[in-house]
Amino acid sequence: MVTTGSQQALDLVTRLFINPGDVVLAESPSYVGALGVFRAYQADVVHVAMDAEGLIPESLRETITTLEAAGKPIKFLYTIPNFHNPAGVTLSWGRRLEILDICRSHGILVLEDNPYGLLYFDQPAPQAMRSVDDEGVIYLGSFSKTLAPGFRVGWALAPHAIREKLILANESATLSPNSFGQFVITEYLDQTDWKGQIDTFRHLYAERRDAMLSALGEYLPKLSWTKPEGGFFVWVTLPDELDSKAMLPRAVKELVAYTPGTAFYSDGQGKQNMRLSFCYPTPESIRTGIARLATVINGEIDLLQTFSGANLTTPIPTRSSVTTPPPNTL
């Protein structure tokens, strides 16, 4: 089924399945746009822990057991297995199979969102979860990350019974689909070397990823962060005492911006995290942005050490000779 993008597909699936109070399982953290959709339909979002290999199967199993014991209806698991937004990690193949087994045994649908899967840097991500379970998985994709963000065209692959309901819901929601956008994309796929264009994007984003990781290592070596193998995002962890949301106005004043980690949780977690995006800025702008960010973080650490006596990470030296180009959004 064609949609105006994976965001609309998320909305349609949630509209079909969720009654107020139903549970949606989601990674911890999870995509802010999806969380907004789930909240709009009054779903109870329950986060499941993840690590460098993605969603942790044992945590999923324990969470399901606890919810079932409490009589909470679980409608589906929402996951971004490839180059996760915001965490940047990729779910390993072994875990994909284990997670599918867990969900199958408990009758839980899997909503597999994959807008970044083709944007790998060194090697492709493992094959889609839907490739081994086409009855228990709804698979979402989009052209907005691999062609142009202005073409809000995506797709959903779903089991037959669900697909028919999604088509009816889509017709009700949009009345008429974006036929012009679909024709343009069809022509593009037929007439151009679109795979070669994606290769160009992959090399571009890999260069920018490398610039961000290098700058983080130079300017913020005491912090920790993920090392994405594709996609757009790096997930940074601050000292526990810092609050990325409270720190954002000072960062904007220093002409650098990021997304606070609290945006990616439904339960208030994430104050010590931030999502940095490397897809748009040039490598030079990325280095400048990270240098400015280090200045902000050092300032917060200095303030806390001065007024609260907290024993925080040693301030990180920054260069005082950094030039001042236009504002940076990371």
Side-chain angles (χ1 to χ4, degrees):
M1 182 192 74
V2 177
T3 69
T4 58
S6 58
Q7 188 77 11
Q8 187 200 22
L10 277 170
D11 185 276
L12 294 173
V13 171
T14 307
R15 181 187 304 184
L16 285 178
F17 282 95
I18 295 298
N19 296 312
D22 287 346
V23 171
V24 172
L25 300 173
E27 290 142 335
S28 178
S30 188
Y31 170 47
V32 60
L35 296 180
V37 170
F38 302 151
R39 280 194 297 267
Y41 289 95
Q42 302 179 57
D44 180 9
V45 178
V46 176
H47 290 289
V48 182
M50 62 191 305
D51 59 18
E53 291 186 56
L55 188 70
I56 302 172
E58 187 56 36
S59 294
L60 176 62
R61 188 178 287 108
E62 292 172 358
T63 300
I64 292 172
T65 299
T66 299
L67 290 169
E68 288 181 339
K72 300 281 288 183
I74 305 170
K75 289 301 177 69
F76 56 81
L77 165 67
Y78 173 70
T79 179
I80 308 171
N82 298 328
F83 321 128
H84 186 272
N85 179 4
V89 301
T90 298
L91 185 63
S92 65
W93 176 243
R95 287 192 180 185
R96 295 181 192 223
L97 296 178
E98 189 173 355
I99 288 166
L100 285 173
D101 284 342
I102 293 169
C103 290
R104 192 181 300 114
S105 67
H106 290 273
I108 297 172
L109 184 70
V110 175
L111 188 55
E112 181 180 13
D113 196 3
N114 187 31
Y116 311 101
L118 292 176
L119 298 175
Y120 60 88
F121 299 148
D122 298 317
Q123 59 183 3
Q127 65 192 67
M129 300 168 79
R130 181 174 164 81
S131 69
V132 294
D133 187 354
D134 58 2
E135 290 300 317
V137 178
I138 298 176
Y139 178 92
L140 309 181
S142 174
F143 289 102
S144 65
K145 306 300 186 295
T146 55
L147 176 53
F151 281 108
R152 309 308 297 180
V153 177
W155 63 89
L157 298 175
H160 179 75
I162 296 175
R163 183 173 65 249
E164 296 307 309
K165 294 182 184 299
L166 283 175
I167 290 172
L168 290 174
N170 190 29
E171 291 174 349
S172 174
T174 63
L175 193 60
S176 178
N178 180 9
S179 299
F180 175 75
Q182 293 179 46
F183 279 126
V184 171
I185 289 174
T186 299
E187 188 73 10
Y188 173 78
L189 296 176
D190 286 342
Q191 301 297 326
T192 68
D193 179 16
W194 61 270
K195 293 182 180 179
Q197 183 60 55
I198 291 176
D199 284 342
T200 299
F201 292 153
R202 292 196 296 105
H203 292 306
L204 179 71
Y205 295 144
E207 180 183 23
R208 294 177 178 184
R209 185 276 313 264
D210 292 344
M212 179 166 284
L213 297 183
S214 174
L216 286 168
E218 179 177 353
Y219 291 108
L220 293 163
K222 301 295 185 180
L223 304 187
S224 61
W225 52 83
T226 56
K227 299 174 176 59
E229 298 173 352
F232 293 167
F233 308 111
V234 173
W235 185 244
V236 176
T237 301
L238 304 169
D240 290 346
E241 294 81 358
L242 295 189
D243 185 331
S244 63
K245 186 174 181 179
M247 194 170 65
L248 184 58
R250 181 172 179 179
V252 172
K253 186 177 179 180
E254 294 290 334
L255 302 180
V256 64
Y258 55 83
T259 307
T262 51
F264 304 98
Y265 292 91
S266 65
D267 54 9
Q269 297 184 68
K271 74 181 185 72
Q272 73 206 71
N273 298 108
M274 59 176 62
R275 187 193 74 176
L276 305 183
S277 174
F278 51 80
C279 63
Y280 180 74
T282 64
E284 294 77 15
S285 294
I286 288 171
R287 286 186 55 80
T288 300
I290 297 298
R292 292 175 183 173
L293 186 61
T295 299
V296 173
I297 292 172
N298 280 334
E300 292 292 308
I301 290 173
D302 285 342
L303 284 173
L304 284 170
Q305 289 178 330
T306 299
F307 292 104
S308 70
N311 184 20
L312 300 181
T313 305
T314 303
I316 303 118
T318 59
R319 295 182 178 179
S320 59
S321 59
V322 174
T323 56
T324 308
N328 230 296
T329 301
L330 300 177

